[in-house]
């Protein structure tokens, strides 16, 4: 006889388990593998490196490692080929018991950059456990009076496998008295048992020997059996019976010992001892259940005696039997299903794995610092855990997978502000009241060289007295670096530069560690008043950072220079001064002057003069000015005075201590005629030297003018070559030079062009050109006066030749090296109605006193804006039809020249002849030019309506 336990409810449970497994695999979003339990060592599981998108070559450099949470080292990865294989025996029943889903969770961690992968390896169940009965032999006492269809309970077998491997079928060995009754599913209250099909006859068969065989659904099938020994008895006809065959009870976990679970009640229709009932656990109740529960044999009260933990077991199935006290005891059975209710009694558990400590202060946001895993043994809401971080800034927690979090950097770090963080990670469940757990994470911030050594001041002023001893300490610089360790080690050095012709390092040095500045040699105030240099402070980080500070070392003057006597015009320093003084001079007459200087400064260079008393105490007729050094007479000289006076003048400074020098003045008293003759001879010497210097200056001026002439001639030649090119659209044409005016130093060349233009690169062409050319024959010009005024127009007329007596005054000789800069060259053009004039603007000066004058104003130089032109005595104003025009203009310049002719003996201030001023009004006027076949364009001219003469 074969019976199957595969009922409809069993199929629904199996289907639900499969659906839950599929949903879990889909929700994990990670790499999943499966492996059968009891697989041999080296069994292939999966190509984990390839599936994770990693390369074999980077496994070792990136520190590839696999961690399994509480599962031992069942699985391992071959770093040579990237294959996940079985490393040790895997027993599914040992790992997960009878859980429907059994998996090994692996954490795969690689560095550079840090990545964490989660891998689930499901352990597949194989049929490696046969069905097992509680005992190998079962004895049943059956009274012969039992009726047909009486049920006798049996203890079923158990299989440690799951699923189909644990689905058991039972069969009973062949006999004529009993059949096997198998429940349809586990929820059915009626247990496995024997059913009496034929009445027993003790006299015929006092004992029966049967075998109950259990077979699982695995491939291959495994079986287990129990021997049933049935003894046929007489007497006790009624067995105890319970109110229910199945009792369901809910019991909270952690109840105290002695808590009543349920009170059972069984009844027996017999009387006397046959009706007295004793309650007890059946023999198939595990010892673990017996340790947690106790049933009172008399009252039938089931109480909790051990620690009831939901996390240990969610339900307990307890089989109770009630046995009467008859001679042949009869028993009744029931099942108590105790469902444990979860209580929030387990606080979350935190596990912190620090990966990168300390953290550099320049770490980028998003850097993973630690991995945190949380778990809660409770279920439902009580097992839902949330994590928080305190303080949050500058870190945050990121959920990576299920109950796994990453502690990452959210903001920027600055070790100089905060060198370490004490973080608290709190895990709190959703129970009521909620439970929490806290783990501390110490994050140390590693220093990065990000701070420049800083000085307290950007500039220091140091006062050092001159004549200091070599190697003396004059100052100490100090810079602070906010970094740590080698990044804060500051070294000092000089920023090398040249001080005159010598290197800075020859004057000062700085100690690399202490920052002390030393003067390497004595400093001299007269040679170097201020020594300014920079000291660089640089740390020892990588890359090194540095900053500079400026030191201004002022060398203070010391009175270390004796007053030095100055020589006379033709004398030599240190030689006595000799003077001839007439006897006729009166009191207060200055006869000589002692000159001296002191190389020191301030009071150390302030000199005073004292006349040393004559030998013998005689009173001298001379005295010396205290601060002027002038030797003068104190009274009129008389015959009592010695004809030769020997004076000693003490020159003394005001330093501490004062230094002095002595000057000797020899005075000879002579007659008045001899004194004048000696004076004229003394003056002759300087005049000759000045004449010699004048000759040298003349030669120098001539050489400069010669070079300038070559330059101007080159420019003129270049202009002529440019203009010789055939014109296009009114380009350059040849023009005739009208005038070349020269002087002792150079000449002004002027060319008048009416219908031709001078080309000069970009911009509109200029109509006139005037250039200065030195070293040409002199050409006189009349005195003119310049005024700012611009007049344009074409006029006919012949220019008048200038008067040959034009000359410059000697006052222009001092400004020979200056020049009047004209922004654009141009001709001198007369006012409206006047002819174009070929006059120079400025000519060279001559030293003849009878010539005319061209005088610059006071301070006239390169940028002077006014000049005076004046007729000489031999150049009177000429009148007549060809007399000079009143005004000239310089094209391209805002100035015009006005001519004023004055009488020969007229006395006029030179400063009134020429000034430069603003134009008062300028208008633009268009004119058409007729009579020329090639003229096709209109030209604009500037007309001046108001001219002012100065």
């Amino acid at each position: 006889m074969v019976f199957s336990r595969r009922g409809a409810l069993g199929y629904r449970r199996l289907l639900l388990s499969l659906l839950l497994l599929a949903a879990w695999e889909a929700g994990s979003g990670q790499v999943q593998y499966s492996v059968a339990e009891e697989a041999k060592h080296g069994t292939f599981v999966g190509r984990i490196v390839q599936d994770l998108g990693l390369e074999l070559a980077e496994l070792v450099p990136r520190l590839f490692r696999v961690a399994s949470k509480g599962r031992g080292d069942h699985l391992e990865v071959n770093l040579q080929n990237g294959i996940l294989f079985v490393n040790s025996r895997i027993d599914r029943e040992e790992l997960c018991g009878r859980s429907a889903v059994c998996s090994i969770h692996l954490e795969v961690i690689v560095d550079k950059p840090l990545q964490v992968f989660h891998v689930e390896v499901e352990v597949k169940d194989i049929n490696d456990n046969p069905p097992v009965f509680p005992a190998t032999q079962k004895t049943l006492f059956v009274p012969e009076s039992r009726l047909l269809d009486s049920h006798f309970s049996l203890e079923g077998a158990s299989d440690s496998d799951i699923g189909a491997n644990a689905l058991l079928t039972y069969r009973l060995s062949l006999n004529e008295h009993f059949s096997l009754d198998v429940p349809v599913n586990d929820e059915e209250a009626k247990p496995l048992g024997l059913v009496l099909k034929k009445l027993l006859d003790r006299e015929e068969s006092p004992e029966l020997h049967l075998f109950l065989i259990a077979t699982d659904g695995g491939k291959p099938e495994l079986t287990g059996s129990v021997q049933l020994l049935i003894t046929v008895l007489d007497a006790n006809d009624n067995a105890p019976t319970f109110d229910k065959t199945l009792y369901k009870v809910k019991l909270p976990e952690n109840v105290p010992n002695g808590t009543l679970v349920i009170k059972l009640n069984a009844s027996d229709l017999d009387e006397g001892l046959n009706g007295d009932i004793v309650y007890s656990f059946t023999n198939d109740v595990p010892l673990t259940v017996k340790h947690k529960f106790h049933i009172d044999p008399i009252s039938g009260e089931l109480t909790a005696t051990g620690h009831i933990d939901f996390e240990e077991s969610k339900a307990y199935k307890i089989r109770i039997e009630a046995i009467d006290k008859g001679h042949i005891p009869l028993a009744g059975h029931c099942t108590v299903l105790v469902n444990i209710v979860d209580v929030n009694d387990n606080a979350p558990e935190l596990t912190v794995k620090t990966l990168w400590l300390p953290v550099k202060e320049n770490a980028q946001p998003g850097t993973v610092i630690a991995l945190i895993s949380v778990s809660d043994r409770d279920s439902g809401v009580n097992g839902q855990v949330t994590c928080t971080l305190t303080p949050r800034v500058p870190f945050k927690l990121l959920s990576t997978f299920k109950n796994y979090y990453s502690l990452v950097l959210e903001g920027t770090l600055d070790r100089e502000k905060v060198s370490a963080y004490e973080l608290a990670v709190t895990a709190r469940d959703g129970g009521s009241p909620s439970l929490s757990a806290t783990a501390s994470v110490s994050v140390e911030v590693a220093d990065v060289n990000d701070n420049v050594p800083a000085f307290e001041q950007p500039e220091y002023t140091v006062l050092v007295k001159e004549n200091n001893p070599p190697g003396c300490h004059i100052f100490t610089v100090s810079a602070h670096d906010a970094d740590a360790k080698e990044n804060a080690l500051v070294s000092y050095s000089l920023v090398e530069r040249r001080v005159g012709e010598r290197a800075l390092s020859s004057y000062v040095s700085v100690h690399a560690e202490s920052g002390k500045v030393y003067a390497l040699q004595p400093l001299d105030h007269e040679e170097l008043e201020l020594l300014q240099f920079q000291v660089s402070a640089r740390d020892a980080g990588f890359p090194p950072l540095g900053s500079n500070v400026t030191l201004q070392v002022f060398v203070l003057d010391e009175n270390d220079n004796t007053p030095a006597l100055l020589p006379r015009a033709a004398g030599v320093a240190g030689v006595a001064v000799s003077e001839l003084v007439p006897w006729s001079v009166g009191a207060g007459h200055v006869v000589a002057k002692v000159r001296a200087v002191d190389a020191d400064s301030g009071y150390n260079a302030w000199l005073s003069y004292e006349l040393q008393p004559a030998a013998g105490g005689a009173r001298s007729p001379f005295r010396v000015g205290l601060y002027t050094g002038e030797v003068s007479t104190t009274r009129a000289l008389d015959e009592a005075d010695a004809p030769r006076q020997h004076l000693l003048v003490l020159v003394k400074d005001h330093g501490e201590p004062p230094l002095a020098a002595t000057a000797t003045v020899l005075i000879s008293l002579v007659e008045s005629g001899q004194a004048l003759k000696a004076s004229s001879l003394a003056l002759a010497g300087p005049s000759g030297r000045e004449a010699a210097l004048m000759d040298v200056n003349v030669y120098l001026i001539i050489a400069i003018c010669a070079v300038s002439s070559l330059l101007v001639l080159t420019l003129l030649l270049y202009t002529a070559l440019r203009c010789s090119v055939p014109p296009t659209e009114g380009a350059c044409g040849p023009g005739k030079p009208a005038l070349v005016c020269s002087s002792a130093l150079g000449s002004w060349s002027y060319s008048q062009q009416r219908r031709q233009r001078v080309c000069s690169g970009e911009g509109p062409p200029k109509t006139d050109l005037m250039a200065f050319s030195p070293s040409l024959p002199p050409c006189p010009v009349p005195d003119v006066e310049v005024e700012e005024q611009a007049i344009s127009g074409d006029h006919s007329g012949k220019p008048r030749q200038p008067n040959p007596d034009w000359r410059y005054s000697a006052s222009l000789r001092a400004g020979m090296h200056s020049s009047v800069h004209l922004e654009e060259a141009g001709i001198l053009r007369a006012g409206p109605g006047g002819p174009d004039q070929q006059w120079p603007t400025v000519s060279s000066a001559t030293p003849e006193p009878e010539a005319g004058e061209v005088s610059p104003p006071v301070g006239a130089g390169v940028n002077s804006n006014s000049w005076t032109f004046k007729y000489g005595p031999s150049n009177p104003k000429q009148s007549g039809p060809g007399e000079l025009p009143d005004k000239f203009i310089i094209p391209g310049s805002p100035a015009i020249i006005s001519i004023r002719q004055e009488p020969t003996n007229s006395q006029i201030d030179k400063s009134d002849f020429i000034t430069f001023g603003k134009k008062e009004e300028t208008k633009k006027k268009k004119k058409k030019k007729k009579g020329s076949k090639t003229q096709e364009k209109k030209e604009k001219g500037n007309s001046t309506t108001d001219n002012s003469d100065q």
Side-chain angles (χ1 to χ4, degrees):
M1 299 175 64
V2 178
F3 297 89
S4 175
R5 297 180 61 188
R6 299 187 179 118
L9 184 58
Y11 283 109
R12 287 197 298 270
R13 279 192 170 188
L14 177 61
L15 180 60
L16 180 60
S17 300
L18 294 176
L19 289 176
L20 288 176
L21 175 61
W24 178 79
E25 292 178 353
S28 64
Q30 301 295 318
V31 178
Q32 295 183 352
Y33 300 104
S34 63
V35 63
E37 67 173 333
E38 303 295 341
K40 295 182 180 180
H41 174 76
T43 301
F44 173 87
V45 178
R47 300 184 181 276
I48 186 171
V49 174
Q50 179 180 349
D51 295 338
L52 293 179
L54 301 175
E55 298 294 333
L56 292 175
E58 65 181 6
L59 297 183
V60 175
R62 295 187 65 182
L63 302 179
F64 181 92
R65 54 196 182 275
V66 177
S68 175
K69 181 180 178 182
R71 300 298 186 184
D73 56 345
H74 299 295
L75 302 173
E76 190 59 68
V77 176
N78 189 339
L79 299 182
Q80 302 298 326
N81 52 24
I83 292 177
L84 180 66
F85 64 94
V86 176
N87 187 42
S88 62
R89 176 177 175 271
I90 302 176
D91 188 353
R92 185 187 182 283
E93 288 73 25
E94 181 181 348
L95 290 177
C96 304
R98 298 189 57 82
S99 176
V101 178
C102 183
S103 63
I104 299 176
H105 177 74
L106 302 178
E107 292 179 3
V108 178
I109 305 173
V110 291
D111 294 337
K112 302 176 182 179
L114 176 66
Q115 289 180 287
V116 181
F117 304 93
H118 298 273
V119 179
E120 293 284 345
V121 180
E122 181 184 3
V123 181
K124 297 288 187 179
D125 182 50
I126 65 173
N127 192 24
D128 60 336
N129 292 283
V132 177
F133 286 92
T136 60
Q137 183 176 348
K138 175 70 174 178
T139 302
L140 296 176
F141 297 93
V142 180
E144 61 179 355
S145 59
R146 294 297 294 268
L147 300 177
L148 293 176
D149 296 327
S150 295
H151 187 276
F152 302 94
S153 298
L154 296 177
E155 299 170 7
S158 62
D159 196 325
S160 299
D161 297 323
I162 63 169
N165 296 329
L167 294 177
L168 302 180
T169 59
Y170 297 91
R171 70 179 183 270
L172 187 65
S173 61
L174 294 176
N175 67 93
E176 59 181 356
H177 294 282
F178 294 94
S179 67
L180 188 62
D181 184 15
V182 179
V184 179
N185 52 60
D186 292 335
E187 296 295 328
E188 189 172 345
K190 184 172 63 174
L192 176 68
L194 297 177
V195 179
L196 183 63
K197 294 297 183 183
K198 183 180 178 182
L199 293 177
L200 297 173
D201 186 359
R202 182 180 178 280
E203 291 71 22
E204 180 182 351
S205 300
E207 289 184 349
L208 297 176
H209 295 272
L210 305 177
F211 285 92
L212 179 63
I213 302 171
T215 305
D216 61 21
K219 299 294 182 180
E221 296 178 346
L222 299 178
T223 61
S225 62
V226 60
Q227 183 181 9
L228 300 178
L229 178 60
I230 301 174
T231 302
V232 180
L233 302 175
D234 287 334
N236 203 2
D237 296 331
N238 296 288
T241 59
F242 288 94
D243 298 336
K244 297 179 181 179
T245 57
L246 179 65
Y247 296 90
K248 292 184 178 180
V249 181
K250 289 185 178 181
L251 180 67
E253 64 174 330
N254 302 324
V255 294
N257 293 338
T259 300
L260 178 64
V261 179
I262 190 173
K263 183 177 182 180
L264 300 176
N265 184 26
S267 61
D268 194 325
L269 298 177
D270 296 328
E271 294 181 355
L273 293 176
N274 292 332
D276 292 339
I277 299 174
V278 177
Y279 299 93
S280 64
F281 295 114
T282 62
N283 294 330
D284 60 348
V285 175
L287 288 176
T288 55
V289 176
K290 293 180 179 180
H291 291 160
K292 294 183 180 294
F293 297 95
H294 171 73
I295 186 164
D296 189 277
I298 305 300
S299 64
E301 292 181 350
L302 182 66
T303 57
T305 57
H307 176 63
I308 307 300
D309 191 358
F310 174 84
E311 288 72 35
E312 182 179 342
S313 180
K314 298 177 176 57
Y316 294 94
K317 191 176 182 179
I318 308 173
R319 298 181 65 83
I320 307 295
E321 64 180 0
I323 303 174
D324 59 24
K325 296 181 180 180
H327 179 69
I328 301 174
L330 300 178
H333 298 80
C334 73
T335 301
V336 179
L337 182 61
V338 181
N339 293 316
I340 307 302
V341 179
D342 183 40
V343 176
N344 191 24
D345 61 337
N346 291 282
E349 296 178 359
L350 281 168
T351 303
V352 180
K353 298 179 181 179
T354 56
L355 298 178
W356 186 19
L357 289 177
V359 183
K360 291 187 177 180
E361 60 178 323
N362 62 349
Q364 298 298 320
T367 300
V368 178
I369 299 171
L371 296 179
I372 301 172
S373 62
V374 296
S375 61
D376 195 316
R377 298 180 60 192
D378 295 324
S379 62
V381 178
N382 297 331
Q384 295 178 359
V385 182
T386 57
C387 279
T388 57
L389 180 66
T390 306
R392 293 191 59 185
V393 177
F395 305 95
K396 66 178 179 179
L397 286 176
L398 290 180
S399 178
T400 57
F401 176 76
K402 292 183 180 178
N403 290 333
Y404 288 86
Y405 295 85
S406 295
L407 177 62
V408 299
L409 181 63
E410 184 179 27
T412 57
L413 299 176
D414 190 349
R415 191 206 64 82
E416 288 70 40
K417 294 182 179 178
V418 181
S419 61
Y421 292 88
E422 293 295 332
L423 305 180
V425 181
T426 303
R428 186 176 298 276
D429 59 28
S432 179
S434 63
L435 300 178
S436 62
T438 302
S440 298
V441 180
S442 297
V443 179
E444 181 182 356
V445 181
D447 184 49
V448 174
N449 192 24
D450 58 347
N451 288 279
V452 178
F455 292 93
E456 294 182 359
Q457 299 177 208
E459 183 176 298
Y460 292 96
T461 299
V462 182
L463 303 179
V464 179
K465 292 183 179 181
E466 64 174 334
N467 302 322
N468 56 283
C472 71
H473 172 233
I474 60 174
F475 193 71
T476 300
V477 294
S478 178
H480 174 69
D481 196 315
D483 294 323
K485 297 181 180 178
E486 65 275 2
N487 295 331
L489 295 178
V490 180
S491 60
Y492 304 91
S493 62
L494 285 177
V495 178
E496 189 61 67
R497 69 178 185 89
R498 304 292 296 180
V499 180
E501 298 181 355
R502 300 172 59 181
L504 174 64
S505 56
S506 65
Y507 286 96
V508 291
S509 67
V510 61
H511 193 272
E513 296 180 0
S514 64
K516 292 185 177 181
V517 181
Y518 298 94
L520 298 181
Q521 64 180 13
L523 300 177
D524 190 354
H525 172 81
E526 290 72 36
E527 177 186 348
L528 186 66
E529 294 185 4
L530 171 63
L531 179 60
Q532 182 170 321
F533 58 93
Q534 289 186 327
V535 175
S536 175
R538 188 170 298 272
D539 57 32
F542 182 82
L545 301 177
S547 62
N548 296 341
V549 66
T550 301
L551 266 67
Q552 289 187 336
V553 179
F554 287 90
V555 182
L556 302 180
D557 183 49
E558 291 285 322
N559 191 24
D560 57 344
N561 289 281
T562 304
L565 299 175
L566 296 179
R568 300 183 60 189
V572 180
V575 179
V577 179
S578 299
E579 295 290 346
L580 299 179
V581 179
W583 286 92
S584 58
V585 296
H589 179 75
V590 177
V591 297
K593 184 171 184 178
V594 178
R595 293 180 175 85
V597 294
D598 196 314
D600 296 323
S601 60
Y603 275 90
N604 297 330
W606 186 19
L607 302 181
S608 61
Y609 301 85
E610 298 179 6
L611 186 62
Q612 295 292 93
R619 185 176 182 182
S620 174
F622 300 97
R623 64 180 178 85
V624 65
L626 180 61
Y627 298 112
T628 62
E630 293 180 349
V631 179
S632 60
T633 57
T634 58
R635 54 180 176 79
L637 300 175
D638 53 25
E639 294 180 356
D641 297 320
R644 291 183 62 85
Q645 298 284 337
H646 184 87
L647 305 180
L648 292 179
V649 179
L650 181 65
V651 183
K652 184 172 59 176
D653 57 27
H654 288 73
E656 288 294 336
L659 301 178
T662 302
T664 302
V665 180
L666 300 177
I667 299 177
S668 300
L669 302 180
V670 297
E671 298 297 332
S672 298
Q674 294 178 359
L676 292 176
K677 183 177 180 180
S679 299
S680 62
L681 291 176
L683 292 175
S687 300
R689 287 191 298 272
E690 291 180 2
L693 292 176
M694 182 65 70
D695 293 340
V696 174
N697 291 336
V698 171
Y699 288 126
L700 181 59
I701 293 173
I702 292 175
I704 294 174
C705 292
V707 175
S708 302
S709 300
L710 292 176
L711 177 62
V712 173
L713 289 176
T714 303
L715 293 176
L716 291 176
L717 180 61
Y718 174 73
T719 305
L721 291 176
R722 289 291 301 272
C723 294
S724 64
V725 179
T728 57
E729 296 184 0
C732 307
K736 59 180 181 178
L739 180 63
V740 175
C741 299
S742 63
S743 70
L745 295 179
S747 65
W748 287 94
S749 173
Y750 163 73
S751 63
Q752 179 184 8
Q753 301 163 359
R754 292 188 176 276
R755 296 178 178 86
Q756 294 81 12
R757 297 177 179 174
V758 176
C759 295
S760 59
E762 299 178 357
K766 307 301 178 183
T767 58
D768 305 292
L769 174 67
M770 179 171 60
F772 176 73
S773 177
S775 301
L776 290 179
C779 178
V781 294
D783 294 326
V784 293
E785 179 178 284
V786 179
E787 176 180 340
E788 283 195 335
Q789 186 171 354
I791 303 174
S792 65
D794 290 339
H795 304 284
S796 62
K798 297 182 179 179
R800 181 178 176 181
Q801 196 70 13
N803 190 287
D805 291 333
W806 169 267
R807 295 291 186 272
Y808 284 101
S809 68
S811 60
L812 187 59
R813 202 174 292 125
M816 280 296 180
H817 298 290
S818 303
S819 61
V820 178
H821 293 273
L822 302 179
E823 295 180 0
E824 298 176 355
I827 68 168
L828 304 181
R829 181 168 294 167
D836 292 345
Q837 299 298 325
Q838 304 173 359
W839 302 109
T841 56
V842 180
S843 182
S844 302
T846 56
E848 288 81 2
E850 71 277 10
E853 293 182 353
V854 179
S855 302
V858 177
V862 174
N863 297 319
S864 175
N865 288 332
S866 64
W867 292 78
T868 300
F869 297 80
K870 183 177 180 182
Y871 284 104
S874 61
N875 187 20
K877 178 180 180 182
Q878 299 187 19
S879 60
E883 65 182 354
L884 295 175
D886 294 330
K887 297 179 178 63
F888 297 91
I889 69 169
I890 302 175
S893 171
I896 76 165
I897 299 177
S898 264
I899 297 177
R900 179 180 298 173
Q901 301 177 3
E902 299 296 339
T904 303
N905 56 356
S906 175
Q907 301 294 329
I908 299 178
D909 188 5
K910 298 177 183 179
S911 62
D912 294 333
F913 277 86
I914 176 167
T915 59
F916 282 72
K918 299 284 185 180
K919 301 174 187 176
E920 295 182 0
E921 184 178 359
T922 304
K923 296 181 178 180
K924 296 182 179 179
K925 187 176 183 182
K926 299 181 179 178
K927 291 185 179 180
K928 290 184 178 180
K929 295 187 178 180
K930 300 179 180 180
S932 174
K933 295 181 180 181
T934 60
Q935 187 75 22
E936 296 177 358
K937 295 183 179 179
K938 295 180 180 180
E939 297 182 352
K940 294 182 180 180
N942 296 330
S943 62
T944 303
T945 59
D946 241 349
N947 300 327
S948 60
D949 295 334
Q950 295 180 355

